[in-house]
Amino acid sequence: MEGKSGRSALLVTLVLFLAGLCSQPAAAFYLPGLAPVTFCEPEKTSENCKENIQLFVNRLDSVESVLPYEYDAFDFCKDKNEEWASENLGQVLFGERIKSSPYKFIFKTPVTCKSVCSKTYKQEDKESLNFLKKGIELYYQHHWILDNMPVTWCYDTDNGRKFCSPGFPIGCFVTSDFRKKELCAIFEDFKKANTYYLFNHVDITITYHSGLGENWEGARLVTAKLEPKSYRHTLNNINCEGPPMEIPDKFVGNLDVVYTYSVIFQENNTIKWASRWDYILESMPQTNIQWFSIMNSLVIVLFLSGMVAMIMLRTLHKDIARYNQLDSSEDAQEEFGWKLVHGDVFRSPKKGMLLAVFLGQGTQIFIMALITLFQACLGFLSPANRGALMTCAVVLWVLLGTPAGYVSARMYKAFGGDKWKSNVLLTAFLCPGIIFAHFFIMNIILWAKGSSAAIPFGTLVAILAMWFGISVPLTFLGAYFGFKQAPVEHPVRTNQIPRQIPRQSLFTQPIPGILMGGILPFGCIFIQLFFILNSIWSHQMYYMFGFLFLVFIILLITCSEATILLCYFHLCAEDYHWWWRSFLTSGFTAVYLFVYAVHYFFSKLQITGIASTILYFGYTMIMVLMFFLFTVHARILNFKTQKKNRKQQMRIFVSNTYLLTDLVTF
């Protein structure tokens, strides 16, 4: 399986790269695994039209636990000829485990209350039954797949809308004080205290497009919906009526569980095969909220743009005009504010090597995110192409070691550093090593808990091989070109003796400035962040990549403008230590992200257990670190001048200071 995962990852990446180069769409182009399949009645089957419909099962997950489990972990019915679906790298990293199930159908052949299998639990099987009851109590959900689309469970919400979920629960629980949890509240028969109710029956409705008016042979499936139910069958009497399937908290003797299903087929030629996911996505009321978020972010951008324009066009323009009119050396000495630090503004910062390393890693993550989001906007990384988003991101990160090494080496050389070996090694290993070590520790927890999210050892070796065999050499190659170039010539000469910085007010001190700098960028993304966290931890489907890309651009502009403003303010306060402060101004947005993640954990989630809590905050810290590098990426424009006259140097400094502090985020 791991070998197939690696080959699939390379195949998906190659297709994504070639598709990105193609500017004109092709009518007959389909991504791997997304080509349509046609079905026919048994007497009309052919090589291109089949009658058998195979249902696949995926991992089970819960909103109350971070630990997903494989389908077999809960002792459900297994396929006698079990087959594993080919999984790409992204699916393995997300813990998806797709395999065949015993639920097999024949096209347009309805079935009523058919037995799939039966399970008998004795006293010695108490551990397996307790695990099943624990899964019911934590509201674990099935995830079934039919013709590469989720089998959905649609129900009415409190506001009268219909919501279609790609998963359905394995059961529900009535507490000892007769409080019905989750679905038990809608069933009148589920009323016994301290009792678990198992959904051992499903009514499946498969809708198909007959091909009428189309140019294909046979029919194509467009929706697959189900309704979970509970019936207490006996081994000798399979009857989908009567009392529900109860699992008492304590049982004596044997307990028989029979799993059944019913399936019907419906024709609907109004639903096109290309838009068969729309009913799932349209049931999620996110669009209006997304537009509100965009408008809120645009207001912030316009506000910051106005302030930057006011400073650049009024203050700096007047200063330049006044310097052009100065003739006497006495007048030239009348300087104030940021003009007094022109001889120290390009002084190398403390811990310059670490700053250069962060800049290199930020460049790598920025380009990775930009290309990945662009591919997602084109539709190549849609939810139908499972795991493609993570696969694309990982492979792109591996292939982008060259720009990371180049930017890091170039900046470190601009700082006057000469320990090039340490710079290259830190660029290649520091941040990736922290993330991998963190990830490996959490993977040990997943292994100990038997979770399907545990990465197989072979996949970990493959990731290490990609890191050491591809990313590290490319980083060294980029660093070679970075150090090979001529040193950066700053437009203003740096004084030999550092200027003394005057006492700073509260608002121009480093910590208050950094705290204020991260608020506005976070205000642009926090609504979008809510939907992203929902898709990760509440297992909701995320598909609004167009909105996400727009927020990406808005965040880019907001962080840049906020950094320029604060950099201008503390330069006016005669504080020339702008390198790290400009770096951390937008980077502090990651701290607000962490605070919001903590708020989301306690207010929106119902996660229980020490292991799940550790995993949640562990994964959150990885996201925070990557977002920190994501937002502090800086692009420093280099300017060369042959002017040695002090007035000319000052003029260049005035006009280019904010280009040189072009701390564009990501």
Side-chain angles (χ1 to χ4, degrees):
M1 183 183 69
E2 295 165 9
K4 292 182 179 179
S5 301
R7 291 193 295 271
S8 300
L10 294 177
L11 178 61
V12 171
T13 306
L14 179 61
V15 171
L16 292 174
F17 177 75
L18 294 177
L21 297 178
C22 299
S23 58
Q24 297 183 359
F29 175 75
Y30 296 103
L31 292 178
L34 302 183
V37 179
T38 56
F39 297 90
C40 296
E41 300 173 7
E43 62 274 9
K44 299 180 181 179
T45 57
S46 63
E47 183 179 355
N48 298 324
C49 192
K50 58 183 182 179
E51 61 175 335
N52 295 321
I53 302 175
Q54 173 68 66
L55 188 145
F56 289 87
V57 293
N58 202 346
R59 64 177 186 176
L60 285 86
D61 52 36
S62 169
V63 296
E64 299 183 14
S65 175
V66 181
L67 302 170
Y69 290 98
E70 291 187 14
Y71 183 79
D72 296 340
F74 291 97
D75 197 30
F76 295 126
C77 299
K78 296 179 60 175
D79 188 10
K80 294 181 181 179
N81 300 317
E82 192 172 71
E83 298 179 0
W84 289 85
S86 179
E87 297 172 347
N88 55 45
L89 180 61
Q91 289 177 289
V92 176
L93 293 177
F94 271 121
E96 294 193 13
R97 301 293 184 265
I98 302 175
K99 55 186 176 182
S100 61
S101 75
Y103 296 88
K104 305 176 189 295
F105 318 122
I106 298 177
F107 182 67
K108 295 185 71 173
T109 303
V111 175
T112 302
C113 201
K114 181 178 179 180
S115 174
V116 182
C117 73
S118 61
K119 300 286 183 179
T120 300
Y121 295 95
K122 302 179 181 179
Q123 289 296 323
E124 54 268 24
D125 302 321
K126 187 175 181 180
E127 184 176 349
S128 297
L129 190 60
N130 288 339
F131 189 75
L132 177 60
K133 292 191 293 185
K134 186 66 175 178
I136 294 175
E137 188 175 352
L138 292 176
Y139 201 64
Y140 271 85
Q141 297 188 15
H142 293 277
H143 291 277
W144 291 1
I145 302 170
L146 190 72
D147 191 30
N148 198 41
M149 63 179 176
V151 182
T152 58
W153 169 48
C154 299
Y155 57 92
D156 295 328
T157 60
D158 295 337
N159 56 5
R161 297 179 58 93
K162 182 175 288 294
F163 179 76
C164 292
S165 171
F168 66 97
I170 64 178
C172 62
F173 175 59
V174 179
T175 62
S176 56
D177 57 352
F178 296 94
R179 183 168 52 89
K180 296 183 177 182
K181 292 189 63 177
E182 306 298 345
L183 280 184
C184 286
I186 66 175
F187 292 97
E188 296 181 357
D189 296 338
F190 297 2
K191 55 186 178 182
K192 289 187 179 180
N194 214 26
T195 302
Y196 298 85
Y197 291 92
L198 177 67
F199 293 128
N200 60 332
H201 175 85
V202 288
D203 288 332
I204 304 175
T205 302
I206 300 176
T207 306
Y208 63 92
H209 190 296
S210 64
L212 182 65
E214 303 291 346
N215 58 354
W216 68 69
E217 175 190 1
R220 294 181 179 177
L221 307 185
V222 290
T223 67
K225 302 178 182 179
L226 61 76
E227 185 177 352
K229 294 183 178 179
S230 179
Y231 296 115
R232 184 162 190 170
H233 307 292
T234 61
L235 297 178
N236 299 324
N237 183 19
I238 306 300
N239 186 12
C240 294
E241 294 179 357
M245 182 65 223
E246 302 173 358
I247 303 178
D249 187 37
K250 297 181 180 180
F251 76 99
V252 179
N254 298 338
L255 179 66
D256 297 325
V257 179
V258 181
Y259 293 91
T260 58
Y261 74 93
S262 298
V263 60
I264 60 174
F265 292 84
Q266 294 180 350
E267 180 179 341
N268 189 337
N269 294 332
T270 61
I271 303 176
K272 302 296 183 181
W273 183 87
S275 59
R276 61 180 185 165
W277 284 68
D278 289 358
Y279 81 99
I280 306 175
L281 306 180
E282 290 173 356
S283 68
M284 302 177 183
Q286 299 179 359
T287 305
N288 293 334
I289 300 177
Q290 298 277 6
W291 280 117
F292 171 78
S293 172
I294 297 299
M295 296 304 298
N296 175 66
S297 302
L298 286 176
V299 170
I300 295 176
V301 169
L302 291 175
F303 172 74
L304 287 175
S305 300
M307 293 188 66
V308 172
M310 180 181 65
I311 292 174
M312 297 291 289
L313 296 179
R314 295 186 60 183
T315 308
L316 296 183
H317 179 73
K318 290 180 179 180
D319 288 338
I320 294 174
R322 189 176 65 176
Y323 264 92
N324 289 333
Q325 297 174 359
L326 291 178
D327 295 325
S328 63
S329 59
E330 290 81 10
D331 293 336
Q333 300 299 322
E334 296 178 4
E335 299 176 348
F336 62 92
W338 56 267
K339 307 175 191 65
L340 295 173
V341 298
H342 69 276
D344 297 277
V345 72
F346 290 111
R347 189 175 303 280
S348 298
K350 297 180 180 179
K351 307 293 182 182
M353 180 182 292
L354 184 61
L355 177 60
V357 169
F358 283 166
L359 291 174
Q361 287 294 325
T363 304
Q364 188 175 11
I365 295 176
F366 162 66
I367 301 175
M368 176 200 74
L370 179 64
I371 298 177
T372 302
L373 281 179
F374 180 71
Q375 295 285 358
C377 289
L378 295 179
F380 295 115
L381 308 179
S382 67
N385 196 5
R386 294 176 178 83
L389 185 69
M390 177 61 75
T391 301
C392 179
V394 172
V395 175
L396 282 174
W397 181 87
V398 170
L399 297 177
L400 290 170
T402 301
Y406 177 83
V407 171
S408 178
R410 188 71 175 151
M411 292 303 304
Y412 183 62
K413 190 173 183 179
F415 295 154
D418 56 358
K419 299 180 180 179
W420 62 271
K421 294 181 181 179
S422 300
N423 174 259
V424 176
L425 291 175
L426 286 175
T427 304
F429 295 106
L430 179 61
C431 295
I434 293 174
I435 294 176
F436 184 83
H438 212 91
F439 188 78
F440 183 75
I441 293 173
M442 290 185 294
N443 204 51
I444 293 177
I445 299 176
L446 294 170
W447 272 336
K449 293 292 183 179
S451 173
S452 65
I455 308 301
F457 180 76
T459 305
L460 285 177
V461 174
I463 294 174
L464 285 175
M466 294 171 63
W467 179 17
F468 286 95
I470 301 177
S471 179
V472 172
L474 290 177
T475 304
F476 276 69
L477 179 64
Y480 169 77
F481 288 110
F483 281 112
K484 187 178 180 180
Q485 288 194 1
V488 177
E489 295 184 11
H490 299 307
V492 180
R493 184 182 303 170
T494 302
N495 296 333
Q496 294 183 353
I497 302 176
R499 177 183 177 84
Q500 185 176 359
I501 299 174
R503 185 185 181 94
Q504 300 292 303
S505 65
L506 176 64
F507 297 104
T508 57
Q509 291 181 2
I511 295 180
I514 293 172
L515 288 173
M516 291 186 295
I519 292 177
L520 292 177
F522 179 76
C524 297
I525 66 168
F526 80 96
I527 295 179
Q528 192 71 225
L529 183 61
F530 171 76
F531 293 113
I532 294 175
L533 292 178
N534 270 350
S535 67
I536 297 175
W537 304 114
S538 296
H539 313 294
Q540 295 184 12
M541 198 171 296
Y542 189 87
Y543 65 97
M544 309 290 271
F545 293 108
F547 283 113
L548 185 60
F549 189 77
L550 187 56
V551 171
F552 179 95
I553 301 299
I554 292 174
L555 181 61
L556 170 73
I557 299 172
T558 305
C559 287
S560 176
E561 292 179 344
T563 303
I564 290 174
L565 282 176
L566 291 176
C567 182
Y568 173 78
F569 290 150
H570 71 252
L571 285 178
C572 287
E574 303 178 28
D575 184 358
Y576 52 84
H577 294 308
W578 63 275
W579 291 97
W580 274 107
R581 288 183 60 175
S582 299
F583 185 88
L584 295 174
T585 295
S586 57
F588 203 80
T589 309
V591 177
Y592 290 109
L593 185 150
F594 177 76
V595 173
Y596 184 82
V598 173
H599 165 74
Y600 182 85
F601 177 82
F602 288 104
S603 63
K604 302 296 182 181
L605 297 181
Q606 300 174 349
I607 292 178
T608 58
I610 297 178
S612 294
T613 303
I614 293 175
L615 290 171
Y616 175 85
F617 285 102
Y619 286 121
T620 299
M621 290 304 299
I622 292 178
M623 290 189 293
V624 168
L625 175 59
M626 294 186 67
F627 192 78
F628 172 75
L629 298 173
F630 203 57
T631 52
V632 296
H633 164 62
R635 178 166 55 89
I636 306 299
L637 301 180
N638 302 316
F639 294 87
K640 297 181 180 180
T641 177
Q642 302 300 325
K643 303 292 183 180
K644 300 302 181 181
N645 183 276
R646 183 174 176 275
K647 185 185 298 185
Q648 294 288 347
Q649 290 178 345
M650 175 58 69
R651 191 175 303 155
I652 295 172
F653 170 70
V654 170
S655 60
N656 291 340
T657 294
Y658 298 100
L659 293 177
L660 289 166
T661 59
D662 181 25
L663 293 155
V664 180
T665 56
F666 304 90

